[in-house]
Amino acid sequence: MDKRHFRRVFNTLGLLQLDYVNVLMPAHFLIPWSRLGAYDRAAFEKYVYRSGECTEQWAHEASIVPADAWSLLAHRRHAYSMHKNNPLRRMRNHAAYLEAALQQVESQGSITASDLPPVPGPKRKPGDWHRSIPRWALEYHFARGNLAVANRLPNFQRVYDLPSRIIPRQHLSASLDPQSAQQEIIRRAASGLGVATLQDLADYFRMSAREAAPLVHDLVEMGDLQPVQVEGWEEPAFLAKGARLPRQIAGASLLSPFDPVVWFRPRALRLFDFHYRIEIYVPAAKRKWGYYVLPFRLGDQIVARLDLKADRKSSKLLVLNVHEEAQIDRKLCVAALGAELQALQQWLCLDAVSVTRHNMISRQLATELHP
């Protein structure tokens, strides 16, 4: 497996949402695994940060996008302004600090937040997510397009450098007016989704439906989108140019909580009758499904959800909870799920899968894995 496979994932999806919750594997590594199976993570990271074909940008939240999306998102970078609660605003001479940070990158090369002079930040409250003043400064420059992400360290920390040292010249110098850029963004969203409502298209790159509506209208006029009716959908839908209806949808895959298949919850409900909620921030006693729950797709249905954890100390893939959806073929589901869990365990270089037995399907799954 090589960069051609990674390129195909990006060409299909248009972006990968970054998320570094590491209870199992960061989401942007799981999404390609769901489509490619076992791949070399080091080769993937080399492709993302060394090939010149990808870059990090704010797209659907913080994301990895093809490098040619740099020009598509320029209007967002130009429009970015510091939030009123940004602690940089409370710094005396914060403009001078920001300029000094940029000059340090220009003169010394790529840096992390720890390379900037430390500055006292706001007092931290219990439970607050901490971000240092140097990090706020570098992320400001990143959001404005003054800096780009050159790499990620093993602890996931961003390494920043000048865009001219990272982004290929043809993408860096490309210029699009905002309307043309936004049309292309919707076009890519449509390509990633295949068939979608206005809300689906808008959410893909985090637009408002009001902002997306005239763009969708223009793409219909251009022939890039075709209005269609989907049985069971209350809202009008749009079919992407070149989208093909497969004869069947085969195979099985565990899906990251941040996979485009399920990240827009109304679409997951509409497509699969699957009500999905991430419970990471829900107190443990109030969780219904678990901490890090992955939907399990079998064919064209989502048939189960699993709370998974990679226990690297014991070298086990822990199945803490498994819940089946209504009206599924449990025997077929258990067999496919067992195979998928073993494939994931091997890819994560763990020794075994351990299932907590708490209901019928979990007991059958444990037996499938350990007859």
Side-chain angles (χ1 to χ4, degrees):
M1 198 171 296
D2 56 31
K3 65 182 180 181
R4 292 172 299 175
H5 299 86
F6 305 144
R7 187 182 299 129
R8 190 172 69 217
V9 170
F10 279 98
N11 287 343
T12 300
L13 298 180
L15 54 80
L16 294 180
Q17 182 180 345
L18 287 158
D19 188 85
Y20 280 96
V21 174
N22 201 30
V23 66
L24 181 66
M25 174 65 73
H28 49 284
F29 297 128
L30 277 171
I31 296 167
W33 179 80
S34 297
R35 287 151 179 82
L36 301 174
Y39 68 87
D40 186 327
R41 177 176 157 182
F44 177 75
E45 291 184 282
K46 183 178 180 181
Y47 171 73
V48 168
Y49 295 107
R50 292 287 183 268
S51 70
E53 294 190 23
C54 301
T55 187
E56 289 191 21
Q57 281 288 277
W58 285 100
H60 182 96
E61 307 298 336
S63 305
I64 304 168
V65 297
D68 66 357
W70 178 265
S71 59
L72 300 181
L73 300 167
H75 63 283
R76 294 188 178 183
R77 295 192 300 273
H78 296 159
Y80 176 81
S81 60
M82 197 180 295
H83 192 273
K84 64 180 181 180
N85 293 327
N86 190 317
L88 289 168
R89 286 187 178 276
R90 300 195 291 275
M91 279 185 65
R92 184 176 298 176
N93 297 324
H94 74 266
Y97 184 80
L98 287 171
E99 181 60 29
L102 203 55
Q103 289 178 0
Q104 184 171 333
V105 179
E106 290 172 349
S107 61
Q108 297 181 16
S110 58
I111 66 171
T112 67
S114 59
D115 295 317
L116 289 179
V119 177
K123 190 173 182 181
R124 193 174 174 186
K125 299 176 183 177
D128 277 359
W129 182 55
H130 179 63
R131 186 185 296 176
S132 67
I133 290 294
R135 184 174 168 186
W136 279 105
L138 292 177
E139 291 192 1
Y140 169 80
H141 282 307
F142 170 69
R144 290 286 297 173
N146 302 325
L147 295 176
V149 176
N151 200 6
R152 289 273 185 168
L153 299 182
N155 65 357
F156 309 135
Q157 189 176 12
R158 278 173 169 166
V159 180
Y160 298 88
D161 207 336
L162 300 178
S164 59
R165 297 172 184 159
I166 300 170
I167 310 297
R169 184 178 302 172
Q170 68 269 27
H171 303 315
L172 201 62
S173 61
S175 179
L176 286 174
D177 63 90
Q179 182 173 348
S180 297
Q182 289 179 309
Q183 285 177 349
E184 178 60 20
I185 284 172
I186 293 292
R187 194 178 285 114
R188 294 190 182 195
S191 178
L193 293 168
V195 63
T197 67
L198 172 63
Q199 291 281 0
D200 298 338
L201 293 168
D203 177 76
Y204 210 82
F205 279 86
R206 286 295 200 248
M207 288 186 191
S208 69
R210 178 179 294 181
E211 184 181 17
L215 302 169
V216 170
H217 177 270
D218 290 345
L219 291 174
V220 169
E221 292 292 308
M222 294 176 190
D224 291 321
L225 292 179
Q226 177 186 347
V228 294
Q229 294 291 327
V230 179
E231 184 179 351
W233 290 17
E234 296 180 359
E235 301 172 54
F238 303 90
L239 186 68
K241 184 178 181 180
R244 293 179 297 173
L245 181 65
R247 292 182 180 179
Q248 63 175 353
I249 298 175
S253 54
L254 286 160
L255 302 174
S256 157
F258 303 97
D259 194 295
V261 174
V262 293
W263 68 17
F264 189 49
R265 307 311 183 214
R267 179 176 172 82
L269 184 61
R270 209 182 317 118
L271 280 175
F272 305 107
D273 193 25
F274 182 69
H275 186 272
Y276 188 35
R277 181 187 185 193
I278 295 179
E279 297 182 315
I280 291 174
Y281 302 109
V282 176
K286 295 183 178 180
R287 289 180 196 137
K288 182 177 180 181
W289 309 110
Y291 180 77
Y292 199 73
V293 175
L294 278 66
F296 178 56
R297 177 197 63 85
L298 181 59
D300 61 358
Q301 295 180 292
I302 292 179
V303 296
R305 63 186 89 198
L306 297 86
D307 184 14
L308 298 181
K309 178 180 180 179
D311 188 338
R312 294 168 178 87
K313 187 175 291 185
S314 67
S315 194
K316 290 181 180 179
L317 175 60
L318 305 182
V319 183
L320 303 174
N321 270 299
V322 55
H323 298 274
E324 61 188 321
E325 297 300 299
Q327 299 178 333
I328 68 161
D329 184 332
R330 185 186 294 156
K331 184 177 180 180
L332 186 63
C333 174
V334 166
L337 185 52
E340 193 73 0
L341 287 168
Q342 286 179 322
L344 179 59
Q345 164 239 311
Q346 292 166 13
W347 182 59
L348 294 176
C349 299
L350 302 172
D351 293 335
V353 181
S354 176
V355 181
T356 300
R357 303 175 187 230
H358 65 96
N359 58 13
M360 180 61 73
I361 191 171
S362 64
R363 289 190 287 272
Q364 291 184 7
L365 180 61
T367 301
E368 174 75 18
L369 290 163
H370 305 289

